[in-house]
């Protein structure tokens, strides 16, 4: 099959030799916001809600602590896509041996598929609060709707729909404010880290890090940088390769806005459940209905509706990000044509992969696991698959062979390597608790 770097001939009216400038202000509400919202997928909502219920306001410090790490991983992924003109696994394939490429691919495919499955289950559980419909019927309907958007929707349509879906997350801000949290406990939990070396705390910490720095974000961000270039008429690798300082500054702003948005939502979800469920002694969330109780101060009997709106809205955004991301990774590993600008008939293997991963994710929901529990465990799975991929990203963005003059500055290099070390340490800490 032809590679994705070749011209997508079905796009009329574009001059292949043109290299139009990137968008300015409008871009700030673009890829970074979508990636930030996708980071707060149903898995993240379930994980943060569980953390707030189990540990209360004392766990709030993890939000500001993870913000610079979120920025580092997503910005470096965006930078890699911009400067190299290729998606993440395309670059790995070109510069690393197969024994590095294949394990990285397997880890990401497993993590993305399990998290997509958990998200579909979480969406179905949330919809079940509103409609007396069998779980199986909801799962199948949700999966069909997601597939229709991915296969028949244009790239521009998908991007614009995702922007609007991100707004569903704002329900959790109001929930936290109207929960009337204790100010002293909130400030102490935000500013003073409290760390325990036990399995419960470390499991939750790894789950939060895993879902906050999930591997699917790296793939999505790097590939959407390439898709944006194609949207602007830069259809060949030669046209896409390289980025100016001004372009990278706009990307930093874009990513920063998205990550601040994502991190604030994380903070307010933990605050909501910490101020309601934890305070009431309900320290374990096992169903969507229990998590919905955190919204009671906001809307009374409508709390379930608002919780469902957040989970359902962002789920329709996040699941395609994960399954399409997995398809990008697989296609780039094997050199298949891959682009959301291509029609299904022009990139058959790519779209078959999207369909396959989505159907597998759907099928996992029929194995009888608890949806909310699965959301937390999927975060732990991501926590273990993320460290090796972050290590590769640091090596690639620090290589002049790949990045030219746009290698990492000392500041972003220090932040990136510190993030990588923290991710490895958190995962190692969890493993250590299993033997204590």
């Amino acid at each position: 099959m032809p590679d994705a770097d070749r011209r997508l001939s079905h796009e009329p009216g574009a001059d292949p030799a043109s290299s139009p400038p990137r968008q300015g202000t409008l871009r700030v509400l673009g890829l970074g916001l979508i990636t930030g919202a996708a980071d707060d997928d149903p898995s993240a909502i379930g994980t943060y809600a569980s953390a707030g219920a189990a540990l209360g306001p004392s766990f709030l410090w993890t939000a500001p602590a993870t913000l610079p790490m979120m920025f580092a991983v997503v910005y470096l992924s965006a930078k890699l896509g911009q400067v190299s003109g290729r998606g993440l696994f395309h670059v790995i394939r070109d510069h690393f041996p197969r024994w590095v490429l294949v394990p990285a691919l397997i880890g990401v495919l497993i993590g993305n598929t399990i998290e997509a499955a958990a998200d579909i289950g979480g969406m179905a559980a949330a919809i079940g609060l509103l409609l007396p419909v069998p779980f199986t019927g909801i799962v199948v309907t949700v999966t069909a709707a997601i597939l229709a958007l991915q296969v028949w929707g244009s790239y521009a349509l998908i991007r614009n729909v995702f922007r609007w879906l991100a707004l569903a997350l704002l329900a959790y801000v109001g929930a936290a404010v109207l929960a009337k949290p204790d100010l002293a406990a909130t400030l102490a939990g935000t500013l003073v880290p409290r760390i325990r070396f036990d399995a419960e705390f470390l499991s939750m910490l790894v789950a939060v890090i895993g879902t906050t720095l999930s591997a699917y974000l790296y793939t999505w961000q790097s590939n959407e940088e390439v898709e944006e270039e194609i949207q602007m008429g830069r259809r060949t690798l030669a046209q896409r390769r390289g980025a100016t300082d001004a372009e990278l500054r706009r990307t930093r702003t874009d990513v920063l806005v998205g990550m601040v948005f994502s991190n604030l939502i994380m903070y307010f979800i933990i605050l909501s459940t910490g101020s309601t469920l934890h305070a009431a002694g309900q320290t374990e969330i096992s169903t969507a209905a229990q998590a919905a109780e955190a919204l009671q101060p906001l809307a009374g009997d409508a709390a379930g509706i608002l919780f469902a709106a957040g989970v359902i809205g962002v789920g329709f955004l996040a699941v395609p990000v994960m399954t399409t991301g997995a398809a990008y990774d697989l296609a780039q590993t094997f050199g298949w044509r891959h682009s959301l600008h291509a029609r299904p008939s022009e990139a058959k293997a790519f779209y078959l992969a999207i369909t396959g991963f989505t159907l597998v994710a759907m099928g996992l929901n029929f194995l009888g696991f608890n949806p909310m529990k699965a959301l937390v465990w999927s975060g732990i799975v991501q926590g273990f698959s993320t460290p090796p991929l972050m290590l590769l990203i640091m090596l690639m963005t620090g290589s002049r062979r790949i990045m030219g003059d746009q290698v990492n500055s000392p500041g972003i290099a220090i932040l990136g390597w510190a993030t990588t070390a923290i991710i490895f340490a958190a995962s190692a800490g969890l493993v250590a608790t299993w033997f204590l």
Side-chain angles (χ1 to χ4, degrees):
M1 286 190 178
D3 191 89
D5 291 327
R6 297 188 182 181
R7 178 176 173 176
L8 300 177
S9 58
H10 71 276
E11 298 178 16
D15 178 9
S18 64
S19 185
R22 288 182 176 271
Q23 301 175 43
T25 304
L26 290 178
R27 181 177 161 79
V28 174
L29 300 177
L31 303 186
L33 179 64
I34 292 171
T35 303
D39 194 26
D40 290 326
D41 67 312
S43 173
I45 294 172
T47 301
Y48 302 152
S50 296
L55 302 171
S58 67
F59 205 65
L60 286 170
W61 63 271
T62 58
T66 56
L67 176 58
M69 293 190 287
M70 294 166 64
F71 170 79
V73 299
V74 176
Y75 170 65
L76 289 173
S77 300
K79 179 181 177 182
L80 181 65
Q82 275 186 275
V83 176
S84 72
R86 294 164 291 181
L88 175 59
F89 270 77
H90 193 158
V91 183
I92 296 175
R93 185 192 72 191
D94 287 349
H95 296 279
F96 289 91
R98 301 286 291 184
W99 64 266
V100 172
L101 173 65
V102 173
L105 175 68
I106 293 173
V108 171
L109 296 187
I110 292 174
N112 281 24
T113 305
I114 291 177
E115 187 151 356
D119 283 356
I120 291 173
M123 294 167 67
I127 294 173
L129 293 173
L130 311 179
L131 301 173
V133 179
F135 180 81
T136 299
I138 299 176
V139 167
V140 172
T141 302
V142 165
T143 302
I146 290 171
L147 268 178
L149 177 64
Q150 291 172 281
V151 175
W152 288 291
S154 67
Y155 170 72
L157 173 64
I158 293 172
R159 181 187 57 194
N160 292 333
V161 167
F162 283 2
R163 284 172 176 166
W164 286 106
L165 288 173
L167 300 180
L169 292 168
L170 295 176
Y172 300 108
V173 178
V177 172
L178 295 183
K180 299 180 180 179
D182 179 82
L183 181 59
T186 299
L187 289 175
T190 303
L191 300 176
V192 181
R194 299 181 187 178
I195 301 175
R196 303 197 321 246
F197 295 95
D198 58 71
E200 179 191 24
F201 180 87
L202 290 174
S203 294
M204 196 61 69
L205 183 61
V206 172
V208 166
I209 291 176
T211 198
T212 302
L213 306 177
S214 296
Y216 68 84
L217 299 177
Y218 312 164
T219 294
W220 177 260
Q221 188 70 29
S222 64
N223 282 291
E224 292 324 286
E225 293 293 344
V226 176
E227 296 283 12
E228 285 289 300
E229 299 269 5
I230 295 172
Q231 180 79 3
M232 294 185 292
R234 301 173 180 176
R235 300 184 189 157
T236 66
L237 179 58
Q239 291 171 335
R240 294 195 302 270
R241 185 180 285 127
T244 66
D245 291 340
E247 288 175 338
L248 292 177
R249 280 195 299 270
R250 285 194 289 270
T251 297
R252 284 195 293 270
T253 302
D254 179 7
V255 170
L256 181 61
V257 169
M259 295 308 103
V260 168
F261 173 77
S262 177
N263 200 259
L264 284 174
I265 299 302
M266 169 188 173
Y267 182 89
F268 285 118
I269 291 173
I270 296 174
L271 183 59
S272 297
T273 53
S275 300
T276 53
L277 301 182
H278 183 80
Q282 188 174 347
T283 59
E284 184 174 351
I285 294 174
S286 59
T287 68
Q290 289 176 346
E293 291 180 28
L295 292 179
Q296 188 71 27
L298 176 61
D301 293 338
I305 295 175
L306 286 174
F307 180 79
V311 172
I312 296 166
V314 78
F316 274 109
L317 184 163
V319 173
V321 168
M322 295 169 197
T323 54
T324 303
Y328 276 127
D329 298 341
L330 187 64
Q332 289 166 11
T333 297
F334 291 100
W336 302 338
R337 186 175 185 178
H338 53 279
S339 174
L340 291 174
H341 285 89
R343 298 187 183 99
S345 60
E346 298 169 328
K348 293 179 181 178
F350 174 64
Y351 280 97
L352 282 174
I354 291 176
T355 303
F357 288 124
T358 306
L359 292 178
V360 169
M362 179 189 74
L364 291 176
N365 282 278
F366 301 135
L367 300 181
F369 55 73
N370 181 292
M372 292 300 288
K373 291 287 188 181
L375 295 178
V376 177
W377 277 104
S378 67
I380 294 177
V381 170
Q382 290 283 6
F384 283 111
S385 63
T386 296
L389 201 59
M390 186 60 193
L391 175 61
L392 292 177
I393 289 174
M394 289 305 302
L395 293 174
M396 289 186 291
T397 54
S399 169
R400 288 195 176 275
R401 179 183 174 191
I402 299 172
M403 306 296 289
D405 293 336
Q406 296 292 1
V407 292
N408 294 330
S409 65
I412 193 65
I414 292 172
L415 179 58
W417 282 114
T419 299
T420 305
I422 290 170
I423 294 172
F424 272 101
S427 299
L430 176 62
V431 173
T433 64
W434 296 344
F435 300 96
L436 294 178

